[in-house]
Amino acid sequence: MSDIIQEDIFYYCEEKNFRGIESKVCLSQLSLTITETGSGNKKRTINVDDVIGCLCMRNQDPNEGQRNHEQDTVSVFLCIYFYSLSKNFKKSPYRKRETALLRCHKYPSFVENCDHVAKWQSMLYSLIQSKELYPHMSATTPNTSESRRLLIFVNPNSGPGVALKTFNTRIRSFLGEANISYDLIVTTHVGHCQKIVQDSTDLPKYTGIVAVSGDGLLYEIFNGLFAREDWATMCEIPVGAIPQGSGNGLARSLAHFNDEPYLYDPLVVSVLNVVKLKSREMDLCLINTTNFPKLISFLSVGWGLMADIDIESERLRMIGEARFTVGALARVMRLRTYKATISYLPVDGNVPSEQMAPLPPLDEPLSDQRWVTETGEFVCIYSSMVPFIGTDLFFAPKSVLNDGIIWLMIVKAPVSKFQVTQLLLSMDKGTHVQLPWVTFVPVTAFRLIPDKSVGPQSYLVVDGEKLDTQAIQAQILPRKGRIFMR
Ligand SMILES: Nc1ncnc2c1ncn2[C@@H]1O[C@H](COP(=O)(O)OP(=O)(O)OP(=O)(O)O)[C@@H](O)[C@H]1O
């Protein structure tokens, strides 16, 4: 058991019993334990990691719940909000919202009790929320709850189109319970978020930027940051992913790293990642294409089969992530192959910890002898830096957030429709990497040059965003981004 930081007598209130049961409350780095002092000695333990916030309050209605007692005007309540891991009847875990209400009646006056509970509150906050001052924030930024402010973008058209409603009905209350202030921007058009992130002079004052959307708005945030003159410091601003789109690969991957029950309620586990205000470094990728000299990718680059499925199924956005399944069926029936040259720099035990030298321009040859090159007909070329590229697409099982690796999959023709179906079906378990007709390699950079014969019916996809087919190269930027993850 970790050392006790603070302990006191409170009255633990259940249901409408606002007098509560006398209990000893102990706070340590890891847990808050509430033990009844009476004969029962009943004990409740709350993991500090599950707590998102707490409020000081007084009983609004002195008649309510106290009919048999003298009116209590001096007690102050500490209400703790937490999301514990529970099991449902099928025994799969899920996060459940709970509250613990503690009445303080230590002192004879309301003001003294208020001060006392406020001390508990600030002690709890110092444990449950990160106090980090990120490098993008000036050293003089006061680190108080008022100074911790998020910039939140909501794409009302993400996925099934309920992101704004979800923000108002669910996410707002999380932020209130966690005592986090924010500025909200509802995006109105493509590029809206990117432009604000790119141009805002206020950005350094925010603790983080959050997207309530699919991966598309996250792409705009990372590219908006990258386009800023002060990117070298602003790349340190943590970004938060609250999934509402039809493609939510990053949010799904973050839950995977923490072994969180994402599928039961993606929103809860993702909001928890944000409201704790803890962040981690993540790899990004620098992309050059013929038409776009510099882009940032945080998720994936694809060409061929899977990119086509992604783009061709976009009109089915209203059905959420099921669009990928429908799109896959259609594309496998009309399987295409594409001529190209793919080159890659395999990881040979030397994963770069710092930024590697820039790649030569796309029209210059790759002189380094370590590059591997293949030319021919391909069904699919796809890469990612995170394990999940969609809720059920466990693309790179070994991927870690900041391993300095791009995981590259190459599927060369010929392969049968049956084999392609097997590839797509095995991706929900990540077993596609073992299929003999699939090349799956950890790399630090790659270059793809589509043959001139490839027509406009094929797409290049960067983080789910469509580009016309063109030459592209990518190189890892190890630990160049930051993401909210507890
Ligand atoms: N108000 C808006 N109307 C239409 N498009 C918007 C709006 N706001 C943002 N966008 C664009 O919508 C695109 C998709 O956004 P998002 O990722 O949130 O949803 P999605 O349903 O998951 O889509 P995708 O699967 O394409 O990523 C983004 O590229 C973004 O630029």
Side-chain angles (χ1 to χ4, degrees):
M1 201 175 104
S2 60
D3 292 342
I4 290 169
I5 298 169
Q6 203 159 326
E7 64 182 358
D8 238 313
I9 296 292
F10 280 87
Y11 296 84
Y12 178 76
C13 307
E14 270 180 316
E15 304 287 326
K16 292 209 162 167
N17 169 16
F18 291 134
R19 290 202 69 73
I21 303 161
E22 190 182 81
S23 306
K24 186 167 146 191
V25 178
C26 295
L27 178 65
S28 72
Q29 291 281 347
L30 300 179
S31 65
L32 183 88
T33 52
I34 304 165
T35 315
E36 289 179 13
T37 53
S39 52
N41 247 331
K42 199 168 156 192
K43 186 171 170 179
R44 296 168 185 83
T45 302
I46 301 169
N47 286 332
V48 166
D49 204 31
D50 297 342
V51 178
I52 68 162
C54 54
L55 292 179
C56 290
M57 41 178 83
R58 72 189 303 180
N59 194 354
Q60 294 287 316
D61 179 359
N63 298 318
E64 180 74 16
Q66 299 186 31
R67 291 189 180 96
N68 298 325
H69 304 282
E70 73 283 9
Q71 190 168 312
D72 179 1
T73 53
V74 297
S75 291
V76 175
F77 293 82
L78 179 65
C79 185
I80 300 165
Y81 301 98
F82 59 105
Y83 287 76
S84 58
L85 210 49
S86 305
K87 299 214 173 206
N88 67 11
F89 61 97
K90 285 182 190 153
K91 296 227 180 331
S92 50
Y94 68 104
R95 290 260 165 212
K96 181 174 144 205
R97 179 185 182 277
E98 294 185 81
T99 56
L101 190 62
L102 300 170
R103 184 171 69 90
C104 169
H105 197 104
K106 185 170 180 160
Y107 298 102
S109 77
F110 173 76
V111 174
E112 285 170 295
N113 285 322
C114 225
D115 284 350
H116 187 64
V117 171
K119 278 187 201 130
W120 269 83
Q121 188 189 26
S122 82
M123 181 60 72
L124 259 171
Y125 269 111
S126 70
L127 292 180
I128 62 181
Q129 281 184 351
S130 165
K131 287 273 183 259
E132 282 168 65
L133 258 191
Y134 301 109
H136 76 276
M137 298 168 102
S138 93
T140 53
T141 305
N143 205 340
T144 62
S145 61
E146 299 79 54
S147 72
R148 281 177 266 138
R149 194 172 189 86
L150 296 176
L151 178 59
I152 302 181
F153 290 96
V154 177
N155 177 358
N157 286 344
S158 278
V162 295
L164 188 54
K165 186 170 167 214
T166 308
F167 182 84
N168 285 322
T169 54
R170 295 192 65 194
I171 301 169
R172 238 168 36 170
S173 60
F174 275 96
L175 295 164
E177 289 173 357
N179 198 18
I180 290 176
S181 33
Y182 59 89
D183 292 323
L184 177 70
I185 297 177
V186 180
T187 58
T188 56
H189 54 273
V190 175
H192 185 184
C193 166
Q194 183 162 341
K195 179 96 176 82
I196 292 172
V197 173
Q198 186 172 331
D199 296 343
S200 168
T201 49
D202 284 340
L203 217 55
K205 80 176 188 200
Y206 290 104
T207 312
I209 311 174
V210 177
V212 180
S213 68
D215 291 320
L217 226 52
L218 289 164
Y219 174 81
E220 290 200 10
I221 292 175
F222 283 114
N223 278 284
L225 289 171
F226 184 57
R228 293 174 65 97
E229 279 177 6
D230 57 0
W231 186 63
T233 49
M234 287 310 293
C235 64
E236 299 274 1
I237 191 167
V239 175
I242 300 185
Q244 284 296 298
S246 54
N248 305 298
L250 184 58
R252 176 71 180 97
S253 296
L254 298 180
H256 169 75
F257 294 132
N258 274 347
D259 204 14
E260 283 286 326
Y262 179 88
L263 296 179
Y264 187 86
D265 188 348
L267 192 85
V268 172
V269 299
S270 306
V271 176
L272 283 179
N273 269 335
V274 171
V275 297
K276 305 286 281 187
L277 301 179
K278 291 183 177 154
S279 71
R280 305 194 187 196
E281 290 174 324
M282 69 181 283
D283 294 335
L284 297 176
C285 203
L286 178 65
I287 307 278
N288 327 130
T289 76
T290 313
N291 300 339
F292 299 95
K294 276 186 174 182
L295 294 173
I296 282 287
S297 158
F298 67 94
L299 185 73
S300 61
V301 173
W303 186 66
L305 176 78
M306 285 167 55
D308 292 351
I309 292 170
D310 192 355
I311 298 308
E312 288 169 2
S313 67
E314 269 201 335
R315 59 202 142 90
L316 303 173
R317 184 179 297 235
M318 293 305 286
I319 63 171
E321 300 208 25
R323 76 175 166 99
F324 296 112
T325 313
V326 178
L329 281 171
R331 180 64 14 243
V332 172
M333 297 308 289
R334 290 173 285 127
L335 197 58
R336 293 197 289 245
T337 62
Y338 310 86
K339 212 170 174 182
T341 297
I342 175 84
S343 307
Y344 55 88
L345 195 54
V347 169
D348 52 3
N350 299 322
V351 178
S353 53
E354 298 306 325
Q355 196 167 331
M356 51 195 286
L359 298 180
L362 270 169
D363 52 5
E364 285 180 18
L366 298 161
S367 49
D368 191 325
Q369 297 299 309
R370 293 172 304 156
W371 282 80
V372 177
T373 296
E374 288 185 56
T375 299
E377 291 278 342
F378 298 89
V379 167
C380 182
I381 290 172
Y382 210 93
S383 76
S384 178
M385 290 165 298
V386 292
F388 282 86
I389 52 171
T391 299
D392 296 321
L393 297 171
F394 194 19
F395 176 79
K398 288 190 184 161
S399 176
V400 177
L401 199 58
N402 49 17
D403 54 8
I405 294 175
I406 305 170
W407 295 86
L408 179 66
M409 180 178 83
I410 301 170
V411 183
K412 263 190 117 168
V415 282
S416 66
K417 287 179 183 170
F418 173 76
Q419 286 171 317
V420 172
T421 308
Q422 200 180 354
L423 165 76
L424 294 173
L425 289 178
S426 54
M427 212 170 274
D428 68 336
K429 299 267 182 308
T431 48
H432 60 290
V433 300
Q434 294 152 9
L435 295 172
W437 60 91
V438 171
T439 303
F440 201 81
V441 272
V443 305
T444 51
F446 69 88
R447 175 185 280 187
L448 169 70
I449 311 285
D451 190 80
K452 288 190 178 64
S453 62
V454 178
Q457 85 281 17
S458 82
Y459 307 99
L460 187 61
V461 174
V462 178
D463 297 351
E465 301 306 302
K466 178 175 96 175
L467 305 178
D468 293 335
T469 285
Q470 57 198 284
I472 183 170
Q473 62 184 13
Q475 72 179 106
I476 195 83
L477 297 178
R479 305 195 311 268
K480 215 44 182 160
R482 261 200 121 82
I483 190 85
F484 278 128
M485 182 178 148
R486 70 201 184 100

